[in-house]
Amino acid sequence: MRKTIMVVEDDEGIRDIISILLSEEDYDVKLYPDVGSFKNEIKSMSPDLLITDVMLPDGNGLELCSEMRADNRTDQIPILMMSANASINDFGSKCTPDDFIAKPFNIDDFINRVTAILN
């Protein structure tokens, strides 16, 4: 069975690249441009991984991560955070993602990190 990855990223170009990369690796990819659209879908889904940007137009990836970790229905879903403006050291105690990748990212490194989280 294909693993499902939900991606919350406001930049359409980055969303498209991630979709292509993950689809080529045979993942089922669900894309969301903002927190609101993601929250509408997560109620009825149980993804194998969440990839989220930190800075989003209607919220914050750190807050989303914290909400996911606080909810017993979603607290076990691995989270890969990405940002062009933050580092994992900036997160403090707000949320502890399973991994963090800085943008722009190396394609091979990105795929390797996703694979490591899912295996």
Side-chain angles (χ1 to χ4, degrees), residues 48-99:
D48 297 287
L49 173 63
L50 167 64
I51 299 174
T52 183
D53 192 5
V54 172
M55 297 183 71
L56 296 161
D58 64 341
N60 177 307
L62 292 172
E63 292 168 5
L64 179 60
C65 178
S66 294
E67 289 174 26
M68 298 272 298
R69 294 289 194 235
D71 184 337
N72 64 359
R73 202 180 71 69
T74 59
D75 65 346
Q76 296 301 312
I77 297 170
I79 299 173
L80 169 62
M81 297 198 75
M82 47 186 190
S83 178
N85 302 313
S87 73
I88 196 157
N89 297 328
D90 298 332
F91 295 177
S93 61
K94 295 175 188 168
C95 180
T96 305
D98 293 87
D99 201 354

Side-chain angles (χ1 to χ4, degrees), residues 2 9 11-13 15 18-19 21-22 32 36 51 57 67 69-71 83 85 96 99 110 112 115-116 118-119:
R2 291 173 65 188
E9 168 60 59
D11 184 296
E12 185 177 2
R15 257 194 337 267
I18 289 173
S19 178
L21 292 172
L22 296 176
Y32 307 92
I51 299 174
E67 289 174 26
R69 294 289 194 235
D71 184 337
S83 178
N85 302 313
T96 305
D99 201 354
F110 177 79
N112 289 338
T115 302
L118 292 172
N119 291 326

